[in-house]
Amino acid sequence: MDRPEIRLRNSMTRRVETFAPIDPANVRLYLCGPTVYDRAHLGNARNVILFDLLFRLLRHDYGADHVTYVRNFTDVDDKIIARADETDRDIADITAETTGWYLDDMAALGTLEPTHMPRATDHIGDMVTMIEGLIASDHAYAAEGHVLFSVASYEGYGALSGRSVDDMIAGARVEVAPYKRDAMDFVLWKPSGEGEPGWDSPWGRGRPGWHIECSAMSKAILGPHFDIHGGGNDLMFPHHENERAQSCCADPGAGFANIWLHNEMLMVEGRKMSKSLGNFFTVRDLLDRGIPGEVIRFVFLSTHYSKPMDWTEGKAREAEATLRKWRALVTDGGVIDDAVLAALRDDLNAPGAIAELHRLAKAGDGAALKASAGVLGLLGEDIGSWAAEGDAPLVEAVLAARLEARANKDWARADRIRDALLAAGVVVTDGKGRGWDAGPGFDPAKLEGLV
């Protein structure tokens, strides 16, 4: 079956190249998910929206049943243990709560749930098995209750990040420990202290290092060789470099991921997001301030994933105005515009796709606009209720004024209000004249001055 060509920017080769799935009947992708100890900050959402866009495009081109998307939860980590100590709460309670927060916040951004969302603690046995294999093949060694990966044993180390080992040592926070054979060797397993979470292993009671978690989970669900792996470019080193090294050594010749997809970082009002600068926001912060998830998504998609993105209040206002205008135009029954798909297939060029949506809106093609925006996760019914929520008090006041005019037999005023409601795109949904919905052409500004 011939399919349109999709081109993606491969961090491994530093080139935009044609995507050729290993198995077109099961396209497989893996995204490094959150460590669940707190709310997701705004930067965490960028790769989730990127992979959601990729997931939607692949489902369109290959079929929804032929794409497997995995995004993990790291639910055992030093940060989680520290948070439990700080708050005197049980680790399981913290991870359950923060996992729920994460899922709610990502859903508010219009992202589809991945096919699988494994938790690290459910795959400890897979991690132990992988570590045992690495020791048996001399790619890892046990020392003082720890197991470490031997970087010198893998000559391909550094190929993903493009750094030499000397550069990596200079640029990394390398833990100096007497049990390490080399400064760059990294932990696969470490002992757990009293009161810390731990599991029995051949090396004593302990817990996994961060990097081995994703290698074990991706292999368990997707196999040792799959199509696309991704995350923010801050994960390229050391996390993805280490992950790739141990996976390639655990399964020589398998190849691990064919394409590595990394997004650039987020800024806020032209500056790096930082608590010290007072411009650090979680996704929930913005949602609670009344900025709709669809607006946040639109702003993120307006910058190509390979470029730094600057979140500004001005962009959010422009996005909301655009989405309100589009929602007033949309109708059902359209087909996805070819130019929108062509833009997305060209290295997920969401800004280019949005430009095509503007073209459709200008042409007044509300049906194609809605169908095409859906591929970007925009203008859907489940994410668009915000568009009328802020105008509810005005609409309801006007409806009440009409009921009052009718009760007083002021038919002329009642008719003027009825005509204004129609012109404003308000659809009355019950026979008593109180229920309503925002219909095509919804423009509450046309109701101002009626009450």
Side-chain angles (χ1 to χ4, degrees):
M1 176 181 176
D2 291 334
R3 291 185 179 86
E5 180 180 273
I6 296 175
R7 291 169 54 78
L8 297 171
R9 189 178 308 266
N10 190 349
S11 302
M12 188 72 197
T13 62
R14 282 91 174 150
R15 295 193 305 267
V16 176
E17 55 193 52
T18 300
F19 172 61
I22 300 164
D23 177 6
N26 185 19
V27 181
R28 289 161 286 165
L29 47 155
Y30 186 94
L31 175 65
C32 285
T35 299
V36 282
Y37 69 100
D38 207 343
R39 288 280 187 186
H41 65 68
L42 197 56
N44 296 144
R46 193 173 192 196
N47 56 48
V48 179
I49 292 174
L50 167 65
F51 263 65
D52 184 69
L53 180 65
L54 175 63
F55 188 35
R56 289 171 183 272
L57 178 63
L58 291 173
R59 283 162 60 95
H60 176 273
D61 282 4
Y62 288 87
D65 295 334
H66 301 294
V67 184
T68 304
Y69 170 25
V70 178
R71 186 185 68 214
N72 74 290
F73 287 105
T74 293
D75 59 350
V76 55
D77 183 86
D78 290 348
K79 292 178 181 177
I80 301 172
I81 296 171
R83 183 56 53 88
D85 290 341
E86 291 166 9
T87 59
D88 197 28
R89 293 182 63 197
D90 186 76
I91 286 175
D93 290 342
I94 291 172
T95 57
E97 178 181 60
T98 51
T99 296
W101 288 348
Y102 183 86
L103 292 173
D104 289 345
D105 292 348
M106 295 307 110
L109 301 179
T111 64
L112 303 173
E113 283 203 351
T115 319
H116 301 281
M117 293 186 285
R119 288 160 170 75
T121 53
D122 291 335
H123 289 269
I124 301 296
D126 294 321
M127 298 174 206
V128 169
T129 298
M130 182 173 281
I131 293 169
E132 287 179 318
L134 289 168
I135 292 175
S137 58
D138 293 327
H139 289 293
Y141 58 93
E144 299 183 22
H146 295 73
V147 180
L148 297 107
F149 182 85
S150 174
V151 168
S153 75
Y154 179 54
E155 62 181 26
Y157 194 82
L160 176 60
S161 60
R163 306 182 188 186
S164 68
V165 172
D166 288 342
D167 288 341
M168 287 185 276
I169 291 174
R173 297 178 180 176
V174 175
E175 180 187 358
V176 178
Y179 48 78
K180 283 188 174 186
R181 294 177 184 171
D182 185 276
M184 284 300 295
D185 292 351
F186 56 88
V187 172
L188 302 175
W189 188 266
K190 57 186 173 183
S192 292
E194 187 175 348
E196 295 179 340
W199 292 262
D200 291 334
S201 80
W203 319 286
R205 183 176 177 276
R207 60 186 188 274
W210 176 32
H211 313 302
I212 197 69
E213 294 179 3
C214 286
S215 286
M217 285 185 279
S218 63
K219 180 179 178 179
I221 300 171
L222 300 177
H225 188 201
F226 55 93
D227 295 295
I228 303 168
H229 193 317
N233 68 356
D234 58 324
L235 294 182
M236 192 180 298
F237 178 81
H239 185 48
H240 287 166
E241 192 73 74
N242 292 352
E243 197 183 334
R244 175 178 174 271
Q246 64 202 10
S247 290
C248 287
C249 291
D251 291 280
F256 197 38
N258 279 358
I259 289 180
W260 289 84
L261 201 65
H262 290 95
N263 60 276
E264 270 287 349
M265 292 296 99
L266 173 84
M267 298 184 294
V268 174
E269 301 290 349
R271 298 187 297 176
K272 182 179 179 181
M273 189 170 69
S274 165
K275 289 181 180 178
S276 63
L277 294 175
N279 67 347
F280 181 92
F281 301 112
T282 66
V283 173
R284 180 52 51 180
D285 288 336
L286 295 186
L287 294 171
D288 287 348
R289 279 171 44 193
I291 299 176
E294 187 177 28
V295 170
I296 298 171
R297 184 183 184 94
F298 188 101
V299 174
F300 274 59
L301 293 174
S302 296
T303 299
H304 193 271
Y305 75 88
S306 66
K307 297 179 180 178
M309 197 207 91
D310 189 14
W311 170 272
T312 70
E313 295 290 336
K315 288 181 180 178
R317 287 193 297 271
E318 290 174 9
E320 180 167 346
T322 296
L323 288 166
R324 283 187 181 278
K325 190 182 301 181
W326 287 359
R327 284 191 168 275
L329 290 171
V330 295
T331 56
D332 292 324
V335 296
I336 301 171
D337 187 83
D338 287 341
V340 172
L341 288 171
L344 295 179
R345 289 170 182 144
D346 182 16
D347 193 24
L348 300 175
N349 183 6
I354 288 174
E356 299 298 338
L357 296 181
H358 279 291
R359 173 182 58 80
L360 294 172
K362 187 175 181 180
D365 192 344
L369 175 63
K370 183 175 182 180
S372 303
V375 187
L376 284 83
L378 299 171
L379 304 186
E381 303 299 334
D382 56 338
I383 197 176
S385 60
W386 65 270
E389 284 171 1
D391 303 303
L394 174 60
V395 175
E396 286 161 8
V398 172
L399 289 171
R402 182 171 181 244
L403 289 175
E404 182 183 18
R406 292 173 66 180
N408 294 334
K409 295 185 170 36
D410 188 349
W411 307 118
R413 183 166 187 254
D415 289 346
R416 283 198 306 274
I417 294 174
R418 178 201 61 201
D419 294 343
L421 288 166
L422 288 170
V426 176
V427 178
V428 178
T429 58
D430 67 30
K432 295 181 180 180
R434 291 190 297 267
W436 68 281
D437 202 353
F442 179 66
D443 183 2
K446 294 179 179 178
L447 301 178
E448 294 173 2
L450 289 174
V451 292

